Amino acid sequence: MKAYIICFIIALLFVYLAEKSIKAKKKKVGIILLATSLIVVCSIAGARSRDIGVDVNNYPSTAYALFTQNGLSYFEVFNRMEVEPLFLVLVDFSTIFKDFHMTLFFLELACALPIYIYAYKRRNRYSITLIVFIFLITMYAKSFNLIRQFIAISIIILSTYYFENKRYLSTYILFITAILFHFSSIACVLIYIIMYLVKNDKNKNIKRIFLLLMFVGLIVFSLGIEQIAQLLPEKYSSYINSIYNVNEFSITSLIKKLFWVIISGIVLWKSSSDEEKYKEQQVYFLLFLIDVVMYLMSIKIGPFGRMGYYFLYVAYFGMIPEIKYIFKQKKIAIGVIILILIYFWYNMTVVNYQADQTYPYESDIWNFLNENNEEEQ
């Protein structure tokens, strides 16, 4: 649907104008333009068909129906659905508009807002437009499927900014907020530990031992997860042992994961002349490696694949914007960025075209060109 492409162009145009305004010291104008871009992005998500996105007719639709049609209270819905509390708070609030599309709007707002704030906070170092663009090509469509988890991922990404700046109370509040949107985000405590250990000059031997034990521990944990699952409440044990335990090994999927390890490794190597940047890129390289480990573990226990998203997306937003500054030759930097864009295009329009029904709109440019060629013939 060309509406999505138009949405991206309009949203990025407003962000670009906002960035220009902020640089011209017109902060209020810039914030208004950023808010306008955010509304455009969320409006398209809210106006989409209820058939777009795996989760739509599950958690959001069920909760909305229980609040509006059944007239249940928050606690009654919470006891019946047993999903994360803040997700239900958001759905409950959105019902005041008496339109399910407004629920979808607010859910996307919860996902996109932390990224826009992150982009604004990073404005002195990275391009706001670039960070929003990364969100649109990596997280936006995916959030239609995994709504609760991608809200949590966005919040975790924002929390890393505060953690880097040693604002630990803000980090803690955001971390707890993410957990209350999706309990699996508790795994992100590993991200904070890695960030702290890698950037701390002291105790290098302890750092190496911890990182080694972490990778070994992940593998050992995956081997015994079926036994651990029996100790969990029925909801979670059945989640681990049921239909989600169906991931099959795929060379294509492994190559996709290794692609990022290789790109991150190159960026890490190129940043070695700057100690601070080298430490930062070590963090993102390790997060890409964890995502690979999570994928391999998901062959045995499917949900691990989704757990890897936390590490993958934090690494995306930390590594990709840095490429422009690490590669001193602009041609090489542009070449790497183009390679990454080709990856995303191929991943969305070829690899996931049939597997994920939120992605076909990404191939509309290709379809549009084909339509024109057919008309000319």
Side-chain angles (χ1 to χ4, degrees):
M1 292 174 283
K2 296 178 179 63
Y4 288 98
I5 297 171
I6 296 171
C7 162
F8 282 17
I9 294 171
I10 294 173
L12 289 172
L13 176 61
F14 276 115
V15 173
Y16 176 76
L17 294 174
E19 191 165 11
K20 289 291 184 182
S21 298
I22 292 168
K23 287 181 179 178
K25 297 184 179 180
K26 298 178 181 178
K27 189 175 178 181
K28 290 183 179 179
V29 174
I31 292 173
I32 291 170
L33 289 169
L34 279 176
T36 305
S37 170
L38 181 62
I39 290 170
V40 170
V41 168
C42 297
S43 295
I44 294 297
R48 74 184 188 270
S49 167
R50 293 177 69 146
D51 296 329
I52 303 298
V54 175
D55 264 2
V56 173
N57 288 312
N58 190 0
Y59 297 105
S61 183
T62 302
Y64 182 85
L66 290 173
F67 281 124
T68 57
Q69 297 173 20
N70 295 50
L72 300 182
S73 68
Y74 172 83
F75 291 104
E76 288 172 323
V77 175
F78 179 76
N79 290 331
R80 182 174 295 194
M81 291 190 66
E82 295 185 345
V83 297
E84 290 80 2
L86 283 187
F87 172 77
L88 290 180
V89 167
L90 190 55
V91 175
D92 190 15
F93 167 78
S94 70
T95 59
I96 64 176
F97 296 95
K98 299 180 180 180
D99 187 336
F100 182 68
H101 289 288
M102 288 302 297
T103 298
L104 295 179
F105 173 90
F106 280 105
L107 288 172
E108 190 60 38
L109 180 63
C111 182
L113 180 60
I115 300 300
Y116 273 73
I117 296 173
Y118 177 83
Y120 181 77
K121 293 289 186 182
R122 293 285 197 186
R123 66 189 183 279
N124 293 328
R125 181 169 180 178
Y126 301 136
S127 164
I128 298 175
T129 309
L130 177 58
I131 292 178
V132 173
F133 180 66
I134 292 170
F135 167 74
L136 292 175
I137 64 173
T138 60
M139 291 183 66
Y140 184 62
K142 199 75 174 177
S143 70
F144 295 177
N145 277 340
L146 309 172
I147 297 172
R148 294 172 302 134
Q149 184 176 7
F150 272 75
I151 292 173
I153 290 172
S154 293
I155 295 169
I156 292 296
I157 290 169
L158 176 58
S159 76
T160 61
Y161 166 80
Y162 291 102
F163 189 84
E164 286 178 4
N165 288 277
K166 299 182 179 180
R167 295 171 62 178
Y168 299 123
L169 178 59
S170 297
T171 302
Y172 178 76
I173 292 171
L174 288 169
F175 177 54
I176 296 300
T177 302
I179 292 173
L180 294 177
F181 269 108
H182 205 280
F183 291 142
S184 65
S185 56
I186 195 171
C188 295
V189 70
L190 279 176
I191 296 174
Y192 305 127
I193 293 173
I194 291 171
M195 290 174 67
Y196 175 79
L197 289 176
V198 170
K199 292 186 178 184
N200 191 342
D201 290 327
K202 301 176 182 179
N203 302 322
K204 290 186 177 181
N205 289 331
I206 294 176
K207 181 200 311 181
R208 294 189 184 101
I209 292 170
F210 171 81
L211 293 174
L212 177 62
L213 289 175
M214 181 187 69
F215 280 102
V216 173
L218 285 172
I219 296 170
V220 171
F221 179 75
S222 69
L223 295 175
I225 187 64
E226 291 172 333
Q227 287 70 38
I228 295 173
Q230 305 306 317
L231 304 175
L232 299 174
E234 184 179 353
K235 173 187 172 182
Y236 300 104
S237 62
S238 60
Y239 178 83
I240 290 172
N241 291 317
S242 66
I243 59 171
Y244 293 92
N245 191 8
V246 294
N247 284 12
E248 295 181 359
F249 177 77
S250 165
I251 290 294
T252 301
S253 296
L254 183 59
I255 291 173
K256 284 165 54 182
K257 299 295 184 184
L258 292 176
F259 170 84
W260 288 107
V261 173
I262 293 169
I263 293 293
S264 182
I266 294 171
V267 173
L268 177 63
W269 169 61
K270 291 295 292 183
S271 65
S272 58
S273 59
D274 186 318
E275 185 178 359
E276 193 61 31
K277 288 183 178 180
Y278 184 69
K279 288 179 181 178
E280 289 180 355
Q281 294 309 313
Q282 274 185 301
V283 171
Y284 304 129
F285 179 74
L286 288 169
L287 296 184
F288 281 124
L289 277 179
I290 291 176
D291 180 52
V292 174
V293 172
M294 288 290 187
Y295 166 70
L296 294 174
M297 289 162 62
S298 75
I299 297 168
K300 181 177 176 63
I301 303 294
F304 274 113
R306 285 179 56 176
M307 293 285 283
Y309 288 156
Y310 293 106
F311 306 96
L312 179 66
Y313 285 94
V314 169
Y316 278 160
F317 283 86
M319 188 270 288
I320 296 176
E322 196 66 46
I323 289 174
K324 177 182 176 182
Y325 304 99
I326 286 178
F327 289 91
K328 295 179 180 179
Q329 294 181 332
K330 288 186 177 180
K331 290 182 179 179
I332 296 177
I334 292 171
V336 174
I337 291 172
I338 290 174
L339 180 64
I340 288 172
L341 290 176
I342 291 172
Y343 164 86
F344 282 123
W345 173 83
Y346 179 79
N347 186 49
M348 292 177 185
T349 62
V350 179
V351 177
N352 286 315
Y353 184 82
Q354 296 296 331
D356 191 330
Q357 291 306 305
T358 65
Y359 279 128
Y361 74 81
E362 296 288 354
S363 63
D364 269 7
I365 294 176
W366 180 253
N367 292 337
F368 179 74
L369 293 174
N370 286 342
E371 289 171 6
N372 285 347
N373 290 334
E374 289 174 3
E375 288 176 2
E376 291 175 1
Q377 292 175 359

